[in-house]
Amino acid sequence: MKIKTFAFFAVLSFLMVNISAKPKELYKVSVQEKLKLNKYNKQLGYQLINNGDTVVFVFDAKSWKVEQPKRVFVEGSFNGWSKKSVNWELAETDEKVFMLECEKIDVQVPGNSGYPEFRFIVHADVPYNDTVCGQPIVRYKPEILELEPISRLPGYQMASNCLILFPSDEPGVVVKNAADATKVKKLKDFDLSKPEDVAAISNFRKVPGTENLYRGYHPYKISRGKFDTEKTRLQLVVKQLKEKGIKTIITLSGDESLTDKEQLPVFVTDIRRNKSELFVETDYNTVYYNSTGKEFGRLMGEIISYINSHEGPYYVHCRLGTDRTGVVSAYLAALCGATWQEIAEDYQKSNNMFIQEFRDARLLKHSFNSILGVDVSEVSDLQKEISQYFIERKIITREDFELLKKKLQ
């Protein structure tokens, strides 16, 4: 009886201590004057020095449990995820410790998390067990290892990538985003009697700044068939196309063939018969990282020309309605007078599908910043700046711009 009583009070004491304890503060990245290895930078894979203006990638083989590393590269959102670029190879500075210094500006290219993302690519001799003359021995064979994060510091990893945070960044934001990125909503979790839940599951909604333009998920291509929401999602997209009276569709993922499990909706067939569907192909890298390039300019010019020569309401989509659709509709919104805050808030609504896809508005912001040459959140008249950029580069004319506003508003 005494033992049970003691155990009871021990558990009670433990609970009281933990309940009353303050939440543990998240680790905020430090800045060193000169690099000094410690348990944090060995885990995170990087260290800030020189007042935070220099990033040093740090690969400590012991921490990452690689016995015989030969060459180490870093791939990331800032180098197009190149797995073997000589410009991004770490040099061995000590026994099995590899480093690479670069300027802060060189890595400030966000991934889906909204922060710079990276992994180490290690060429190493990897041990394996063998038997010779009946005796077990250890041999080594060359392999290329793509290493996932080893850090358990909350806020410095998302999915299978390491993140680079700076002193002004809040790890807590990443922690929340990482939780949302892994969350899955089943069909029963949506109340389809509510318009907001219908919009969330289908990713279908009006583009801010417009009255005649909608954006969303693909009407018939199955992209996330492993989720029980997919069939209903496609049905809801088609239902809303009908309800909104969509007359013109812009498909950013090209004219893809149907699989045995897919069927072209009659509503979409009718739009095609009227020759009111534009098929164009673009990709993730173009819309986010090459927005100042000719390909993106041609894309926007073609889309605007098509809108101006066809009847609305209009629907723009790709597969998920997240990346290509998110960026294209964001620029159309800007041209129609939406503010950056409205655009950013709308962009992140795509995360409400909860299909293990997450995008932070900082990624979209990178595209806008590249075009504007300044922080988009500090631009007072976004419509003026974006339209001027497109007009000066002859992507569209002043007349195209004025007609677009009339068509979409």
Side-chain angles (χ1 to χ4, degrees), residues 97-121:
V97 176
F98 297 74
M99 297 184 189
L100 172 67
E101 283 192 18
C102 59
E103 297 304 308
K104 174 182 177 180
I105 193 172
D106 293 330
V107 301
Q108 286 186 303
V109 179
N112 292 344
S113 64
Y115 300 88
E117 302 179 11
F118 73 96
R119 284 187 180 187
F120 288 121
I121 305 296

Side-chain angles (χ1 to χ4, degrees), residues 158-364:
M158 181 175 282
S160 56
N161 298 328
C162 305
L163 305 188
I164 299 177
L165 269 61
F166 295 92
S168 60
D169 296 325
E170 291 294 337
V173 173
V174 181
V175 172
K176 182 185 181 304
N177 289 351
D180 288 343
T182 58
K183 189 183 298 183
V184 174
K185 270 194 174 184
K186 295 184 178 181
L187 188 58
K188 64 180 180 62
D189 298 324
F190 291 93
D191 182 352
L192 299 183
S193 67
K194 296 180 178 179
E196 59 269 28
D197 277 24
V198 172
I201 193 174
S202 61
N203 206 14
F204 190 111
R205 57 189 178 274
K206 186 186 293 183
V207 174
T210 77
E211 289 297 329
N212 222 16
L213 176 64
Y214 297 84
R215 40 92 70 240
Y217 209 83
H218 204 293
Y220 55 86
K221 292 298 295 181
I222 298 172
S223 298
R224 292 297 180 267
K226 67 178 181 178
F227 300 117
D228 74 343
T229 48
E230 190 73 356
K231 182 179 178 181
T232 300
R233 188 180 352 267
L234 298 180
Q235 291 172 344
L236 288 172
V237 169
V238 176
K239 181 182 178 182
Q240 290 173 98
L241 290 175
K242 294 177 182 177
E243 289 177 350
K244 303 302 181 185
I246 299 299
K247 290 186 171 59
T248 299
I249 295 177
I250 298 164
T251 300
L252 302 175
S253 48
D255 189 2
E256 300 176 89
S257 59
L258 297 173
T259 67
D260 294 339
K261 295 181 179 180
E262 297 168 345
Q263 186 174 1
L264 189 66
V266 174
F267 186 83
V268 176
T269 301
D270 291 340
I271 287 178
R272 290 188 179 183
R273 285 177 182 153
N274 292 331
K275 297 182 179 179
S276 291
E277 182 170 12
L278 172 66
F279 292 103
V280 290
E281 289 192 49
T282 187
D283 57 40
Y284 180 100
N285 287 332
T286 296
V287 297
Y288 286 125
Y289 302 135
N290 296 306
S291 55
T292 58
K294 291 182 178 179
E295 183 180 343
F296 185 72
R298 281 195 297 268
L299 173 72
M300 292 304 302
E302 186 175 359
I303 290 170
I304 292 169
S305 176
Y306 200 83
I307 290 173
N308 285 348
S309 59
H310 288 76
E311 189 179 356
Y314 309 88
Y315 183 64
V316 59
H317 74 90
C318 50
R319 274 300 195 92
L320 305 182
T322 298
D323 294 312
R324 291 165 288 188
T325 301
V327 177
V328 168
S329 62
Y331 279 100
L332 292 174
L335 288 169
C336 288
T339 66
W340 167 247
Q341 183 177 356
E342 291 170 334
I343 292 169
E345 288 177 357
D346 179 76
Y347 173 83
Q348 293 212 172
K349 287 180 181 177
S350 293
N351 297 323
N352 295 336
M353 286 189 289
F354 290 107
I355 55 172
Q356 294 182 321
E357 291 284 343
F358 183 88
R359 305 290 185 271
D360 188 281
R362 291 177 181 83
L363 178 58
L364 177 64

Side-chain angles (χ1 to χ4, degrees), residues 3 12 31 39 54 86 131 137 154 172 301 310 328 348 353 369:
I3 294 176
L12 182 62
V31 178
K39 65 178 182 179
T54 303
V86 293
T131 302
I137 65 169
H310 288 76
V328 168
Q348 293 212 172
M353 286 189 289
N369 288 356

Side-chain angles (χ1 to χ4, degrees), residues 396-408:
I396 60 175
T397 64
R398 173 65 62 180
E399 290 73 23
D400 292 331
F401 170 54
E402 296 299 333
L403 180 56
L404 178 72
K405 289 189 293 181
K406 289 180 181 179
K407 285 279 189 175
L408 297 186

